[in-house]
Amino acid sequence: MNGERILELEGVDLTSMRSMVLRFPELLVAKKPDSRFLERARRTGESGIDGICLVGMGGSSIAGEICRGLLLDQSSVPILTVKNYSLPNAVGRKWAVVVVSYSGDTEETLSSFEDARSRRATIFVITTGGTLAKRAQSASMHVVPKGLQPRAALPLMYSAVHPTVEALSGLEATDLERVATTLRQQAQDWGARADSPSTLAEKLKDSIPLFIGWKHLVPIAYRAKCQINENAKTVAFHSELPEADHNEIEAAMSYGRHSVVPVFLRSCFEESAIRRRFDVTSEVLSGAGCESIHLRIRTDSLLEESLAMTHFLDMTSVDLAERLGVDPLRVDRIAHLKKELAADA
Ligand code: PA5
């Protein structure tokens, strides 16, 4: 079964970002990496590696960021993420480098891929094709279906990155079918929530959202910012606790003036000190005349919480785009930049 056909079967309308985002749970289980790919990752991990480096830009970097946020505490080796032309000096022959590019043509990612090759690291490629697929002949490669916007392909890429990192770190494989079922149930409940993606989008329409996360939800805050930038073409920021309490909190007095709305991404897994910190931070903001939004998703696992919140906020970004009258699919400036820079190369 080829990639295009999977998308047809899943009923994804490739001309609608809303349709792509609605199918997030199905895309998470649409194309698993084959057993040879994962077996190579497991053997690489067993042979003894010094670290795992996850490479990608924009919509293709976020799978690595989320995965790192979730697995770093359990992994016996460091996990780095790289969004650049080259790899840190420490990455060498005994490293596994997972290179992700939806198009396979992103120049920073191709350059880091070459860097990994020159260091003789063990490389795993996740892509739809492009130059990366041509150059990756000797590396292990997982080909994902074409036709989506890269940022909408997150679940497709995540379903390869997560098991690859688990295999490299010798961790037990997670059942992503179960996660997809939870995501489907969560999405069915959106309408019944006081704070659905649509009510959140309405609240953010005339303001600048500041998404604030803790630990595994820091990449989710970053993803929400990027999705609002790319889909709704409007300004958004992200930050993290506890760090924001040591700097950003002093800017609270200016939030009202700039129409900044803090959106706290709350976790069911907050330790009591962190829970208290979120609450006190919110009180301080309120004292400065700035009311915050607290977003919670009730689930049993860190992974489900991360992905369900991503799905919710992805839909918020699409809803916001529609309210602002912009096309969430088009990324004209990104395309222009890529073209200009390629012409210079
Ligand atoms: O969402 C997007 O279109 C971008 O953020 C791209 O993901 C980014 O430019 C990198 O391209 P690719 O994902 O094809 O490597």
Side-chain angles (χ1 to χ4, degrees):
M1 183 183 292
N2 74 28
E4 302 286 357
R5 198 149 152 246
I6 288 172
L7 291 182
E8 273 169 39
L9 287 175
E10 295 294 340
V12 181
D13 175 359
L14 300 177
T15 65
S16 157
M17 183 59 89
R18 177 173 282 275
S19 164
M20 294 182 201
V21 172
L22 276 172
R23 310 303 286 196
F24 191 118
E26 286 72 27
L27 291 173
L28 189 66
V29 286
K31 185 148 188 225
K32 295 179 188 156
D34 66 30
S35 50
R36 262 183 43 208
F37 184 92
L38 291 180
E39 190 43 40
R40 176 145 189 255
R42 189 154 298 280
R43 272 191 278 111
T44 303
E46 281 166 4
S47 71
I49 49 173
D50 289 342
I52 302 166
C53 181
L54 307 171
V55 176
M57 303 301 297
S60 291
S61 74
I62 193 67
E65 294 290 350
I66 296 176
C67 186
R68 178 177 180 277
L70 287 163
L71 298 182
L72 190 58
D73 280 358
Q74 298 167 55
S75 173
S76 52
V77 291
I79 304 176
L80 303 181
T81 55
V82 168
K83 295 183 256 194
N84 218 322
Y85 286 88
S86 61
L87 307 179
N89 190 41
V91 177
R93 203 174 166 174
K94 289 192 75 188
W95 278 67
V97 179
V98 182
V99 182
V100 186
S101 171
Y102 191 67
S103 63
D105 287 322
T106 301
E107 70 173 41
E108 299 93 318
T109 312
L110 287 170
S111 169
S112 281
F113 166 79
E114 292 301 344
D115 195 10
R117 208 150 62 164
S118 69
R119 295 168 195 229
R120 301 177 69 197
T122 306
I123 304 175
F124 297 84
V125 168
I126 298 164
T127 186
T128 58
T131 308
L132 185 58
K134 287 191 198 110
R135 292 196 196 164
Q137 297 302 339
S138 63
S140 297
M141 182 159 59
H142 172 65
V143 178
V144 295
K146 280 188 177 145
L148 294 165
Q149 283 292 315
R151 57 200 173 282
L154 166 66
L156 274 177
M157 297 191 276
Y158 197 78
S159 66
V161 172
H162 191 94
T164 305
V165 174
E166 281 178 329
L168 286 166
S169 327
L171 299 170
E172 205 180 306
T174 304
D175 179 2
L176 290 179
E177 295 279 351
R178 215 197 98 173
V179 178
T181 304
T182 304
L183 296 191
R184 249 179 250 120
Q185 283 160 356
Q186 290 279 349
Q188 274 161 13
D189 292 345
W190 284 347
R193 290 176 61 114
D195 56 350
S196 66
S198 151
T199 53
L200 181 56
E202 180 57 30
K203 285 185 199 159
L204 301 181
K205 196 167 61 114
D206 300 312
S207 49
I208 300 175
L210 168 60
F211 296 98
I212 305 163
W214 163 73
K215 227 172 173 183
H216 61 294
L217 297 184
V218 175
I220 312 309
Y222 175 65
R223 162 75 170 182
K225 169 219 122 50
C226 295
Q227 285 290 78
I228 288 190
N229 296 155
E230 286 191 62
N231 289 341
K233 278 88 180 147
T234 194
V235 63
F237 294 101
H238 89 289
S239 75
E240 61 182 275
L241 280 179
E243 175 62 12
D245 281 352
H246 299 271
N247 34 62
E248 221 167 76
I249 193 74
E250 287 298 335
M253 298 305 290
S254 73
Y255 284 0
R257 185 160 30 107
H258 298 297
S259 305
V260 172
V261 174
V263 183
F264 288 104
L265 306 188
R266 304 296 304 259
S267 172
C268 304
F269 304 93
E270 282 165 16
E271 294 145 11
S272 60
I274 292 295
R275 195 176 320 125
R276 173 101 184 107
R277 183 176 284 280
F278 268 99
D279 293 342
V280 175
T281 304
S282 181
E283 280 162 30
V284 171
L285 292 175
S286 178
C290 172
E291 290 312 322
S292 324
I293 294 170
H294 293 252
L295 182 64
R296 290 183 176 82
I297 303 261
R298 305 244 167 257
T299 56
D300 294 341
S301 79
L302 293 174
L303 174 57
E304 287 178 3
E305 184 174 68
S306 294
L307 294 187
M309 205 172 274
T310 302
H311 189 202
F312 184 102
L313 290 166
D314 280 6
M315 190 47 82
T316 304
S317 74
V318 174
D319 211 288
L320 184 58
E322 290 164 0
R323 280 164 204 272
L324 296 177
V326 296
D327 181 354
L329 276 185
R330 297 188 70 108
V331 279
D332 295 347
R333 279 148 289 268
I334 295 175
H336 171 76
L337 269 161
K338 284 187 176 177
K339 209 165 140 211
E340 285 295 307
L341 292 167
D344 290 349

